[in-house]
Amino acid sequence: MTALYVLGSGSRGNCCAVECDGATVLIDAGFSPREIERRAESTGLSLGSVGAIVLTHEHGDHARGAGRLARRLGVPVLTAPGTWVRLGPRMRHAEHRALGLCTRVQIGPFAVTACPTSHDAAEPLALAVECADGSRVGVAYDLGRPTAAVRYLLRDMTAIVLEANHDDVLLRTSAYPPVVQRRIAGSGGHLSNRAAAELLTEMHHPGLGVVVLAHLSRQCNTTDDARATVAPALRRAGFGGALYVADQDEPLGPIPVVPGAGAQLRLAL
Ligand SMILES: [Zn+2]
Ligand SMILES: [Zn+2]
């Protein structure tokens, strides 16, 4: 059985984990190693089972603890080549494995694939982790707009962790200066609740069982606003699975990654 953990998500730190057959892959390490350990422990996740840390990009809220945690756990760090160069000395003594756009990297029971995202970083990626039991977990945050590549990567997921960063109105009426508002809403920034709802509607298929909304802005979004925008759209698309909203401070998990009600119905017929 595959399980998903979102140890925290937001502009102050991001870290998820996918666990399958006693093995774990960590996706982003945007907190200190001690904080990741504390959060993992609170969910019952053993970091001793981590086989690799995969990074989406080099921003501190995604990579802050990666080098130190990788050295402590003795595991490799998977990133795009440009991300590794940008991380530079922060990753000293950590082992690197390059995550290319057309490659599939095997880590124990997991196969990791990636595609580029539209974000103001060196070589940012969205990720898909396929587990030995056939389930697939997609992670896409910090994307200014959903590109064709992201749509292709996320087309057949069992679980999706997707950015729902801001509510359009709360962003426009926020205290952020116009230039910052434009950067957040721009094609190199972050996905709004509305854009997340549209992408999820498009990505929905009977096998989609879990959706986690992530990277919510504290200034320009609320759990209720994100859920109120996305839940009805998913329902209209026929989604019969579980919808979660990730929090900056409260870890989520273990979330069982099981196919959606639509797929179960098909299997039963
Ligand atoms: Zn970023
Ligand atoms: Zn971020």
Side-chain angles (χ1 to χ4, degrees), residues 10-11 13-14 28 56-57 59 61-62 119 141-142 163 190 215:
S11 59
N14 293 274
D28 284 341
T56 56
H57 62 298
H59 289 164
D61 58 318
H62 298 264
H119 185 55
Y141 37 42
D142 290 43
E163 172 171 61
H190 292 275
H215 218 302

Side-chain angles (χ1 to χ4, degrees), residues 94-121:
E95 180 195 340
H96 181 226
R97 286 184 68 180
L99 197 52
L101 300 182
C102 304
T103 50
R104 199 177 150 85
V105 178
Q106 196 73 35
I107 302 281
F110 306 104
V112 182
T113 49
C115 80
T117 59
S118 170
H119 185 55
D120 54 2

Side-chain angles (χ1 to χ4, degrees), residues 175-197:
Y176 284 131
V179 63
V180 177
Q181 291 186 20
R182 276 197 297 277
R183 195 193 75 77
I184 293 171
S187 63
H190 292 275
L191 216 59
S192 69
N193 293 340
R194 186 179 42 76

